[in-house]
Amino acid sequence: MSTLTHRARRAEAADRPREEPGAEERQRSGQEEDGDDPGDAKELRLTLMEEVLLLGIKDREGYTSFWNDCISAGLRGCILVELALRGRIQLEPATMRRKSLLNRKVLFKSEAPTGDVLLDEALKHIKATEPAETVQNWIELLTGETWNPLKLNYQIRNVRERLAKSLVEKGVLTTEKQNFLLFDMTTHPVTNDTLKQRLIKKIQDAFLDKWAKEAQRMDKRLLALVLLAHSADVLENAFVPLLDEQYELATSRSRELLELNPDVECVKPNANEMIWAVMAAFTK
């Protein structure tokens, strides 16, 4: 992303009124490997897809940037990681022939419903597919970017709109109609700004006050959010409100993280292979 784009985004953020962010969300410990969230039912929880979309949506306008051509694939990557963190899918074990993350297949693990329509739809496709596909192939299939007409039915359609409606139901967004000269468009402005600011603060803290220095020391879900937000080209949105010195430090540390070798990181203690496999698919 160009320096001019960074400056434009930061200038746009400076024009918006700031609100004091709320207290940071509690860590979702124990959620990654053994399934659904066990915590307080009253705490509003968002999926990785919803968090990434929320980062990309302009607060007042209610839509993502027209120039962002990465978010569709990024959201499909979120689906795979979310399913892995909930214990529904996994990567096949590494062998001498298939040691690279990009060569290993996605294996079905559990058919227990997730409670999310998009996740369950993707899980159904993964369960029914023989032979199994790689992470990179699944991102392309779920996005609809495949040359195989027999696999076009694997595409999950209208992901952004369906996620936006889910966020409306959770009270995070609202629904409006806007006129763009030749056509009307449904938009979803942010109504729960406190929740979005909390999400932004969580990402900022990951590279400032709570910088872990090593990826394997980061909370898995937070690590996934950062990597997926970058893949969807919305990570920068969390940094634009920062002061210059903080901005430079956060972007410098994020580059350190994003330049890591997924094949090296996935074998380290406490690593989640699916997170790094999705990252490898986007940086191939």
Side-chain angles (χ1 to χ4, degrees), residues 119-135:
L119 295 178
D120 288 340
E121 186 177 336
L123 185 61
K124 181 180 178 181
H125 289 320
I126 294 172
K127 178 184 178 182
T129 301
E130 289 292 343
E133 300 280 0
T134 64
V135 167

Side-chain angles (χ1 to χ4, degrees), residues 4-281:
L4 289 176
T5 304
H6 288 169
R7 289 176 179 171
R9 287 187 177 182
R10 298 187 70 191
E12 180 183 351
D15 291 337
R16 296 197 297 266
R18 293 187 181 181
E19 289 190 18
E20 193 68 25
E24 185 177 0
E25 284 185 305
R26 298 191 296 272
Q27 293 292 339
R28 306 178 199 189
S29 58
Q31 173 184 350
E32 290 87 355
E33 302 297 337
D34 58 0
D36 301 325
D37 301 343
D40 187 353
K42 294 181 180 179
E43 182 181 355
L44 180 61
R45 297 186 183 277
L46 304 182
T47 64
L48 288 170
M49 303 107 68
E50 290 170 335
E51 289 180 324
V52 168
L53 181 66
L54 185 57
L55 282 173
I57 284 183
K58 301 182 180 189
D59 291 7
R60 295 176 181 174
E61 294 86 344
Y63 51 82
T64 58
S65 171
F66 294 129
W67 309 108
N68 188 338
D69 58 357
C70 301
I71 194 166
S72 291
L75 291 173
R76 273 64 174 192
C78 290
I79 291 175
L80 296 177
V81 173
E82 187 79 56
L83 286 172
L85 291 178
R86 295 190 184 205
R88 302 317 196 266
I89 60 174
Q90 64 185 28
L91 280 187
E92 68 176 342
T95 63
M96 291 302 295
R97 290 181 58 247
R98 291 180 177 172
K99 195 171 183 179
S100 169
L101 288 169
L102 290 178
N103 293 330
R104 293 163 63 186
K105 308 289 187 178
V106 176
L107 301 182
F108 173 80
K109 187 176 179 182
S110 169
E111 63 181 356
T114 66
D116 183 278
V117 176
L118 289 172
L119 295 178
D120 288 340
E121 186 177 336
L123 185 61
K124 181 180 178 181
H125 289 320
I126 294 172
K127 178 184 178 182
T129 301
E130 289 292 343
E133 300 280 0
T134 64
V135 167
Q136 184 178 336
N137 286 348
W138 270 118
I139 292 174
E140 293 173 353
L141 290 171
L142 296 176
T143 310
E145 297 177 354
T146 176
W147 294 101
N148 188 340
L150 299 178
K151 294 187 176 182
L152 287 174
N153 61 311
Y154 290 159
Q155 179 184 5
I156 298 184
R157 302 178 182 275
N158 305 316
V159 168
R160 266 180 278 189
E161 183 62 26
R162 292 162 72 179
L163 288 173
K165 288 181 178 178
S166 175
L167 289 171
V168 170
E169 293 174 358
K170 293 179 178 180
V172 182
L173 306 178
T174 188
T175 302
E176 295 180 356
K177 287 281 187 181
Q178 289 195 33
N179 180 268
F180 289 86
L181 296 179
L182 299 178
F183 61 94
D184 290 332
M185 186 174 83
T186 301
T187 60
H188 300 283
V190 175
T191 56
N192 190 339
D193 187 63
T194 300
L195 190 143
K196 182 167 183 178
Q197 291 303 320
R198 188 181 303 155
L199 175 63
I200 289 173
K201 182 69 161 55
K202 180 170 64 173
I203 295 175
Q204 291 173 351
D205 284 347
F207 296 104
L208 296 174
D209 297 339
K210 298 182 180 180
W211 174 234
K213 296 184 180 180
E214 298 175 338
Q216 68 266 29
R217 295 173 57 193
M218 292 180 67
D219 172 77
K220 290 187 182 69
R221 196 170 188 87
L222 179 56
L223 173 64
L225 173 61
V226 168
L227 297 180
L228 290 163
H230 169 71
S231 301
D233 194 20
V234 298
L235 180 60
E236 170 72 13
N237 295 350
F239 295 152
V240 289
L242 293 171
L243 300 175
D244 289 346
E245 185 176 343
Q246 293 176 316
Y247 177 85
E248 294 300 329
L249 181 59
T251 54
S252 174
R253 287 174 171 174
S254 68
R255 282 195 297 271
E256 291 179 27
L257 179 65
L258 297 168
E259 290 172 359
L260 294 174
N261 185 328
D263 283 300
V264 173
E265 295 301 314
C266 75
V267 299
K268 292 183 178 180
N270 200 39
N272 182 284
E273 292 182 319
M274 187 64 71
I275 294 174
W276 292 108
V278 170
M279 186 62 183

